[in-house]
Amino acid sequence: MNEMLLYTIKSAFVLAILYVPYTLLLREEDFFRFNRITLLGILVLSMILPLCNISSLSLDNQPIVHTAQQQMIEIGIPVMQVVDETGEEPHEHGSMSWFQTASLIYLLGVLAVLCLRLIQFAKMGMEIRGGTLWRAHDDGAYIHCHANPVASYSWFGNIVISKEDYDRHGREIVMHEKGHIRCLHSLDILLLTFVEMLQWWNPLVYMLGVSLRDVHEYEADDYVLNQGIPLRDYQNLLIRKAVGASSYTFANNFNHSLTKKRITMMCKKKSNPWMRSKVLYAVPMVALALSAFATPTSVTSTEKAAEPGGIPYIDEGKVTNNFSIYQTDKQGKKAIMLDGKEISEEEMNGIDPATIDHVTVVKKNAKSILGRDCDELIVIETTEYAKNKDDDKVFDVCDKLPEYEGGQEGLMNLLQTNVRYPKIAMEKGVQGRFIVQFVVDKDGSVSDIKVVNKKISLAQSQTANADANTYGKEKGKTDISEEELKSAEKAMESEALRMIQLTSGKWTPGEQDSQIVRVKFSLPITFRLN
């Protein structure tokens, strides 16, 4: 259900970036069939592109994105880790999140629109087959003549017309509806109806529907005029019938409420054929959509480094609860682990299936997990073991992120007022930026503090007479030994870790599904000489 809502949001995005330029560039051109194909292409692409995932096109893989991320670090904004390395979905705890509520409302809307359309189809079918004075076959179409003053329309091979219209203007009206039938406009309407059902909340899809029906009328009018009907007589007929209306919005209606635009289009000078090239606007728009929907390579990685007290998850193979179907081979190329410990095949057969939470088949990097050659590893976890591991699970992202008391301003004040620039680094003119990663625990304390990225540089004197002992060597001179540089780096790294330790116990822990959880957090600590 959640996936369906995400899909329709992506689909609406594609429809928007393709349809809006169409209204500006092509809507007023008299390329009736070309414009119709363009609109149908927009509908089809809006359904297909959200399903495409080309990792190489991901925006996160582009240099400009990495530059922007680097700038965020430089100005001191805390950086959250956004890669979900396990690929696991958050555990449910009985309460519905706002996104699940939105998904449910969306699904109810889809069902409501579907029921409405089915009722309309049924009523139209009953009207076509019932209440007719006579029915006749004419050049591939069935004409249903009604005694009641119904508005003329066509649906697939059927034409509905009132007796009054047939007696007075039957030739022109029937020919117009035959134009709809020969161009297969009813198939277009079925596709449009399906997209409207999926995007019932999106006003742009209804605007596109109006544009598509306009093109249908232009195309049918063009068909009538090509059959020899005088232009002025046909235009007068349109004006007389303009007050009519149809009961079915998805049928092809002769009395479509765009008479002025139809008459204008009949009299308009033919557009330059080169104007069709404006449709090339779709190429960069499609590329943009593919880039937006692509998953970066770093996010698709399934490998997770081994952690103390837990089994690494590498879900390259299949996952099943029927663990008894696996067998290890005699060459020892396959192995079994139960709750983090290697066991034999005989021990596996003695496990009570009722105690098993799940089984994961690892087909890559099994050697790094087991410590010896192994082509395939069967990882079994009991329910109790999985529960204990979940209690200590560290989230990379969560519904509510941890927050330092006083917010980001309070955190920055703490770091600025308590930092002690290492003496050796100051004397040697060494600067540095350290990205410190840590875990905010459930009680607001911090643990597992470590530096995950660092950059060291030498400061240059601000003026020609700067004190070298305070700000480092003068510009152009870098006579600092490697040992001194490493000592300065180590001192700054120790100070960065100390600064994060000062925040322990002052965090509001993160939450996932209204449950307090442990969350991984990263923060930049910068040492810079002015």
Side-chain angles (χ1 to χ4, degrees):
M1 185 168 62
N2 293 354
E3 289 76 9
M4 189 174 180
L5 178 57
L6 285 174
Y7 168 79
T8 193
I9 292 174
K10 293 179 180 180
S11 179
F13 170 74
V14 175
L15 188 141
I17 64 174
L18 292 178
Y19 174 65
V20 172
Y22 166 87
T23 63
L24 302 175
L25 300 174
L26 288 170
R27 184 170 57 179
E28 300 301 325
E29 304 294 344
D30 62 353
F31 309 127
F32 307 138
R33 178 161 298 184
F34 182 80
N35 284 0
R36 175 192 167 202
I37 293 174
T38 300
L39 290 171
L40 293 177
I42 292 173
L43 291 175
V44 172
L45 288 173
S46 71
M47 292 188 294
I48 294 178
L49 291 185
L51 302 176
C52 299
N53 185 0
I54 305 176
S55 298
S56 59
L57 295 179
S58 173
L59 292 174
D60 284 351
N61 292 333
Q62 305 305 316
I64 187 172
V65 177
H66 291 295
T67 301
Q69 293 173 344
Q70 182 68 25
Q71 290 301 317
M72 289 179 62
I73 293 174
E74 290 291 349
I75 63 176
I77 298 178
V79 183
M80 282 299 301
Q81 302 299 309
V82 297
V83 179
D84 185 1
E85 298 169 304
T86 66
E88 297 177 324
E89 295 183 358
H91 294 284
E92 300 294 335
H93 295 281
S95 59
M96 293 181 62
S97 66
W98 68 268
F99 192 79
Q100 290 173 320
T101 303
S103 299
L104 179 59
I105 295 174
Y106 165 74
L107 184 59
L108 292 175
V110 171
L111 295 176
V113 174
L114 175 61
C115 291
L116 177 62
R117 290 292 184 255
L118 290 177
I119 292 173
Q120 290 176 333
F121 278 127
K123 287 184 176 180
M124 185 174 64
M126 293 173 62
E127 182 177 273
I128 290 176
R129 291 174 175 78
T132 58
L133 292 175
W134 52 264
R135 179 173 178 268
H137 185 267
D138 182 12
D139 193 20
Y142 289 94
I143 301 175
H144 303 264
C145 185
H146 282 238
N148 298 325
V150 297
S152 302
Y153 66 89
S154 63
W155 184 244
F156 284 95
N158 300 280
I159 298 174
V160 175
I161 186 173
S162 69
K163 185 178 184 305
E164 179 184 357
D165 283 343
Y166 188 82
D167 292 340
R168 299 178 61 182
H169 312 287
R171 179 170 176 247
E172 293 87 348
I173 294 177
V174 169
M175 195 172 295
H176 177 89
E177 300 305 334
K178 282 183 179 179
H180 285 302
I181 293 173
R182 292 181 184 278
C183 294
L184 302 177
H185 290 163
S186 296
L187 290 176
D188 299 0
I189 299 301
L190 281 181
L191 174 62
L192 174 64
T193 301
F194 178 74
V195 178
E196 286 178 342
M197 181 182 67
L198 293 179
Q199 299 186 34
W200 57 265
W201 52 271
N202 182 14
L204 282 179
V205 75
Y206 300 104
M207 294 173 61
L208 186 146
V210 172
S211 296
L212 183 60
R213 291 185 178 92
D214 289 352
V215 172
H216 285 174
E217 296 305 317
Y218 300 153
E219 203 169 13
D221 290 339
D222 191 57
Y223 174 81
V224 173
L225 297 177
N226 288 335
Q227 301 304 309
I229 301 296
L231 174 60
R232 185 167 297 278
D233 292 347
Y234 187 63
Q235 290 176 339
N236 289 334
L237 173 61
L238 292 180
I239 295 173
R240 286 195 297 270
K241 302 299 296 181
V243 295
S246 172
S247 302
Y248 308 106
T249 57
F250 46 80
N252 300 300
N253 313 314
F254 181 78
N255 299 333
H256 198 269
S257 57
L258 69 154
T259 302
K260 182 178 179 181
K261 289 192 290 184
R262 289 167 67 181
I263 293 175
T264 302
M265 195 62 71
M266 292 178 199
C267 301
K268 185 177 180 180
K269 181 181 178 182
K270 291 295 182 181
S271 300
N272 189 325
W274 284 101
M275 292 296 101
R276 292 186 177 92
S277 62
K278 291 191 288 187
V279 78
L280 293 176
Y281 79 84
V283 175
M285 295 297 102
V286 170
L288 172 63
L290 290 174
S291 298
F293 301 149
T295 304
T297 305
S298 59
V299 176
T300 58
S301 173
T302 55
E303 181 175 351
K304 182 181 180 182
E307 297 177 359
I311 299 178
Y313 275 81
I314 310 174
D315 296 329
E316 297 287 355
K318 55 186 177 180
V319 179
T320 178
N321 286 328
N322 183 15
F323 65 95
S324 61
I325 65 174
Y326 298 107
Q327 300 292 325
T328 56
D329 60 20
K330 295 181 180 179
Q331 287 75 26
K333 295 299 183 180
K334 296 183 180 180
I336 309 164
M337 290 184 71
L338 172 65
D339 292 346
K341 297 180 181 179
E342 185 177 3
I343 62 173
S344 65
E345 184 177 342
E346 291 75 15
E347 291 174 309
M348 181 187 74
N349 293 331
I351 301 173
D352 181 4
T355 65
I356 297 299
D357 181 74
H358 67 274
V359 175
T360 305
V361 180
V362 181
K363 291 188 176 181
K364 291 184 180 180
N365 301 315
K367 180 179 178 180
S368 64
I369 299 173
L370 197 61
R372 62 176 176 82
D373 288 339
C374 182
D375 293 337
E376 183 172 299
L377 178 62
I378 304 166
V379 179
I380 305 172
E381 291 190 359
T382 62
T383 302
E384 182 179 359
Y385 180 85
K387 180 179 181 301
N388 293 334
K389 192 175 73 170
D390 286 342
D391 289 340
D392 292 330
K393 178 180 178 180
V394 177
F395 285 77
D396 294 310
V397 291
C398 60
D399 295 339
K400 182 179 179 182
L401 299 178
E403 184 177 358
Y404 186 78
E405 60 180 28
Q408 182 176 336
E409 182 178 356
L411 179 60
M412 293 299 107
N413 287 336
L414 174 74
L415 300 180
Q416 292 171 2
T417 56
N418 290 276
V419 65
R420 296 197 296 260
Y421 208 112
K423 183 179 179 181
I424 184 173
M426 183 177 294
E427 290 177 348
K428 299 301 179 180
V430 180
Q431 300 181 146
R433 180 176 58 84
F434 298 82
I435 302 298
V436 184
Q437 184 184 90
F438 54 96
V439 174
V440 178
D441 291 313
K442 296 180 180 180
D443 60 356
S445 62
V446 297
S447 62
D448 195 21
I449 308 172
K450 57 187 175 183
V451 173
V452 295
N453 193 7
K454 55 187 174 182
K455 182 179 180 181
I456 306 300
S457 63
L458 293 178
Q460 295 179 347
S461 59
Q462 301 297 307
T463 64
N465 298 322
D467 185 351
N469 289 329
T470 302
Y471 294 108
K473 305 303 179 181
E474 292 184 358
K475 185 175 181 180
K477 298 181 180 181
T478 57
D479 51 344
I480 178 174
S481 68
E482 183 177 351
E483 182 178 352
E484 291 173 330
L485 183 61
K486 288 183 177 180
S487 297
E489 176 186 336
K490 184 176 181 180
M492 288 190 293
E493 182 172 337
S494 298
E495 178 62 13
L497 296 177
R498 187 189 72 85
M499 294 302 301
I500 298 301
Q501 187 63 51
L502 287 177
T503 69
S504 186
K506 300 177 182 179
W507 291 84
T508 300
E511 295 183 10
Q512 176 70 21
D513 295 333
S514 302
Q515 301 292 320
I516 295 178
V517 294
R518 305 175 71 210
V519 182
K520 188 182 296 183
F521 206 83
S522 294
L523 193 70
I525 303 294
T526 302
F527 297 90
R528 182 177 290 115
L529 293 170
N530 295 323

